[in-house]
Every structure is written in structure tokens, then in C-alpha cells.
Amino acid sequence: MIRNATEDDLKFILDIYNDAILNTTTVYTYEQTDLEERKKWFYSKVESGLPVIVYEKDNEIAGFASYGPFRNWAAYQYTIEHSIYVSSKFRRQGIATQLIDHLILLAKVDGYKTMVAGIDSSNEGSIHLHKQKGFKHIGTLEKVGYKFDKWLDLAFYQILLK
């Protein structure tokens, strides 16, 4: 079931996000975050009218997703960048697919024109999912991150919503 996240979900969102920080190149940072930071992130989204959704399965938060401004200048107001995270326990069960479908629907309803995804170029699963959903590869920034003793390339994908 996909629903809007609540403050009660933030501990689970934090666990999923910190796992991504520590064990993947999904997030280009090194240090785990804390519940206070996730609360600030959550309420910033809520106050801005931006979605934070969760996928609940077997009474557990299996994944979460959101979108926000691509850039903060006025001319970018119709372009958003999204994020999707799935718990390692629930990967490869179609959860990311359902979360991205829901985000695309919300973005269309909210009147956005373009959705962007920044994906580590080694994340073949995410790239495959985005291509399946109609995202097109727009370009890759080479060696813009460094994690796990290797240089990381950031691939950008885009879908036109209207």
C-alpha cells in the first residue's frame, strides 16, 4: 500500500536512508544522518506542499519516495527531481516501480512538466527501471563523486510529464 508518510514513519525512513548511505552509491555522502535531520527534511517537504510517500508491506515501511525542486531559481519551477529508496529487505519486489508510478502521477496532477533522476551510473537496476518508465538518458557527469575507494559517475535521466 502506498500512502503519505507521517512523522511516525520517519524512524523507518531513516533506517532505509542510512542503509543506502552506508552500503550503496545511491547517496553520495559518507555519514549517516539522524532523526532530527529527517524531521527537518520531512517538515520542509510538507510545508512546501511536496510529497513524501511510503510503501507499506506486511506492516513495515518497505520504501519511500519524494520529489522536490531541481534547482531553486524561478524558471525551473516546473521541473522536479525525485528520490526513491527501498529497504534492502524488500528489493526486487516491484516496490520501486510502484513508487515511481505514484510519483509521476502526483507530479502530473501538481502541474509539473519535467521529472529528473540523478542515478549513479553503476546502478543498473535503477537505470533499467527508469528506462522502462520512459525516462531518457540526458547525460553523465564523470567522476563527480568518490565513495568506496572509487570515482563515481552521475547519470541524468528525464521524463516529460506533459
Side-chain angles (χ1 to χ4, degrees):
M1 169 177 83
I2 294 176
R3 61 172 173 77
N4 290 328
T6 68
E7 186 174 334
D8 291 339
D9 299 320
L10 292 179
K11 182 202 177 305
F12 306 104
I13 288 172
L14 175 67
D15 290 343
I16 294 167
Y17 190 66
N18 278 336
D19 179 66
I21 290 170
L22 293 176
N23 298 303
T24 76
T25 55
T26 304
V27 183
Y28 283 17
T29 192
Y30 308 123
E31 301 297 325
Q32 294 184 76
T33 190
D34 60 26
L35 192 55
E36 193 59 37
E37 183 278 332
R38 284 289 91 179
K39 283 182 181 179
K40 288 178 186 173
W41 166 83
F42 176 73
Y43 284 110
S44 172
K45 295 277 188 182
V46 170
E47 290 167 9
S48 297
L50 297 167
V52 178
I53 58 174
V54 294
Y55 188 104
E56 190 174 341
K57 182 173 183 176
D58 302 328
N59 296 315
E60 291 186 61
I61 301 303
F64 72 97
S66 185
Y67 60 69
F70 175 66
R71 297 284 187 268
N72 286 324
W73 295 292
Y76 290 108
Q77 66 184 303
Y78 299 104
T79 301
I80 51 175
E81 185 171 7
H82 78 280
S83 299
I84 298 172
Y85 298 92
V86 176
S87 166
S88 58
K89 178 180 175 181
F90 291 100
R91 290 190 187 134
R92 303 196 192 294
Q93 296 181 29
I95 293 169
T97 299
Q98 292 180 60
L99 286 168
I100 198 169
D101 286 344
H102 198 81
L103 281 183
I104 288 170
L105 177 65
L106 290 174
K108 286 179 178 181
V109 168
D110 287 344
Y112 292 104
K113 175 75 172 170
T114 303
M115 182 180 280
V116 174
I119 306 169
D120 182 76
S121 66
S122 69
N123 190 339
E124 295 175 7
S126 184
I127 289 170
H128 178 73
L129 169 63
H130 284 81
K131 286 181 177 179
Q132 276 187 321
K133 294 297 167 185
F135 283 75
K136 294 183 180 169
H137 182 247
I138 301 305
T140 299
L141 302 174
E142 296 179 352
K143 296 180 180 25
V144 295
Y146 188 80
K147 191 172 180 180
F148 304 132
D149 296 321
K150 64 181 178 179
W151 287 103
L152 306 174
D153 299 341
L154 184 62
F156 281 96
Y157 286 78
Q158 170 189 12
I159 188 169
L160 298 178
L161 301 168
K162 294 183 176 191

